[in-house]
Amino acid sequence: MYDRCRSAAMHFCALCLCLSGVLVPAAYPSEKDLVKTEVHQVGRDSEDQYIVFLRDGKTARLLPIWIGPCEAMAIWRKLKEETFPRPFTHDLFHNVLQGAGVRLISIVIDELRPLQEGGMGSTYFAVLTLQRPDGTTYKMDARPSDSMALAVRMDLPVHVVRGIIESHGIPENGAPPKPAAPRKMPRYF
C-alpha cells in the first residue's frame, strides 16, 4: 500500500513541477542514436521478479527490464485491455496531463547506471519529453517502469539508446520462454 501511495505522490509532484516550469536537466541523445521499441510483454522471470520486454521490430531484439510489481500490474492490465471503474495511478496521471493540455511527445530510455560503485546490478533511467499548451517542450527525468505504463496508455513507442539495445538486448528467437503472467496481486499484499 505504501508503494502505491508513494508512487501517486511522486506522479503528482512531477506534474506540479512540469507545469510550474521546473525542468530536470538531461543530456538528450540524437534521433539517429535511438531505437524505436514497443512494450511487448510483461510477466515474471524464473526468480519470480517482474520483467517487461521492449521489442525492436526492425531487428527482432528484446530488451528485458526488471520492474516493481505495481508497475508490472499497471502495464499488464492495460496490455490485456482490462478496464476498471476508477483510474489507477498511471491512468490518473495520463488524465491529469490531458486535462491540463500537456502532451507527452516521447519517452526515451537513455541510460543504464550501476547501482553503486563497483557493486552488482544497475538501473535504467528515462526521459519524458512533454509539451505545454503554448507549444513549449521540456524534458523530465522518469523511471522507465512508469514511462512504459504511460506508453501503453497513450499508444506511444519507447525509444532506447542504441548502445543499450546492442549491449543488453537479446534476440527474440533466443529469448527465454514467454514469462508467466503476473499473479493477480503481489505476494506481500
Side-chain angles (χ1 to χ4, degrees), residues 5-49:
C5 294
R6 181 182 61 146
S7 180
M10 288 189 318
H11 287 313
F12 181 75
C13 290
L15 179 64
C16 291
L17 288 172
C18 76
L19 294 177
S20 68
V22 177
L23 309 179
V24 176
Y28 204 65
S30 70
E31 200 165 312
K32 68 179 174 141
D33 295 327
L34 299 176
V35 175
K36 182 178 173 181
T37 70
E38 65 179 11
V39 177
H40 182 61
Q41 62 187 31
V42 61
R44 292 174 295 170
D45 67 9
S46 61
E47 296 186 14
D48 213 23
Q49 299 296 311

Side-chain angles (χ1 to χ4, degrees), residues 56-112:
D56 171 10
K58 288 184 179 177
T59 64
R61 291 184 68 78
L62 300 173
L63 179 65
I65 299 179
W66 282 262
I67 64 174
C70 292
E71 295 80 11
M73 291 305 297
I75 295 167
W76 183 74
R77 286 180 169 154
K78 187 62 181 177
L79 289 175
K80 296 295 180 188
E81 297 182 13
E82 287 187 14
T83 57
F84 296 91
R86 306 292 312 273
F88 286 107
T89 303
H90 296 95
D91 300 309
L92 174 64
F93 190 63
H94 173 225
N95 294 344
V96 170
L97 285 175
Q98 283 186 320
V102 176
R103 237 179 88 221
L104 179 56
I105 296 174
S106 72
I107 299 166
V108 175
I109 296 177
D110 69 339
E111 191 176 355
L112 179 61

